[in-house]
Amino acid sequence: MSTENQRNGSVFRVDKFVVPAAARDEIIGKVFMTHELLRQQEGFVQDFLLEQVSGPGEFNIVTMVEWESQAAVDKVVPIVKAAHERIAFSAQETIARLGVKADIANYQRVPEL
């Protein structure tokens, strides 16, 4: 692993989804909406929205957001929650309604040995 451009305290939010074809456009639209908000927050570093194009993997949509620190993540959680409440959007309800399977977690880099 190269240490160039690595941030020691970065936290990566990785959301992996199994999205039925009929739900793709709605899910991607909600991801774009949320990521627009995330990009404006203090501590945001970068983000990716990935769609599987080959291979046997189960998850066909993956998002990744890099934050400067856990403190940045902690600050953004209530901001996103409030924004979603203002527009009556519930990620959990949307996922259930559309039959999407989600695997969501935060990650940090493995230190080099």
Side-chain angles (χ1 to χ4, degrees):
M1 250 187 290
S2 168
T3 57
E4 187 175 334
N5 290 330
Q6 286 191 9
R7 294 165 186 85
N8 290 331
S10 288
V11 174
F12 298 85
R13 166 71 180 252
V14 180
D15 297 355
K16 299 177 286 188
F17 303 100
V18 178
V19 178
R24 179 194 178 275
D25 291 346
E26 184 173 346
I27 290 296
I28 288 179
K30 298 300 185 189
V31 169
F32 280 143
M33 174 193 71
T34 300
H35 281 229
E36 285 181 29
L37 174 64
L38 298 179
R39 290 183 195 114
Q40 299 170 24
Q41 303 310 308
E42 184 178 339
F44 171 87
V45 177
Q46 64 179 335
D47 66 332
F48 298 94
L49 169 57
L50 307 170
E51 185 169 23
Q52 182 182 23
V53 294
S54 67
E58 176 182 19
F59 299 100
N60 57 332
I61 301 289
V62 176
T63 68
M64 190 280 299
V65 178
E66 180 180 3
W67 296 96
E68 289 179 351
S69 65
Q70 184 60 51
V73 173
D74 294 343
K75 286 181 185 177
V76 79
V77 169
I79 293 169
V80 171
K81 182 178 179 185
H84 285 172
E85 286 175 357
R86 279 193 299 278
I87 62 169
F89 171 65
S90 167
Q92 294 79 10
E93 289 174 10
T94 301
I95 285 170
R97 176 176 54 82
L98 295 174
V100 172
K101 178 181 173 185
D103 178 19
I104 297 170
N106 290 339
Y107 298 81
Q108 290 186 311
R109 294 185 199 279
V110 174
E112 290 191 43
L113 300 176

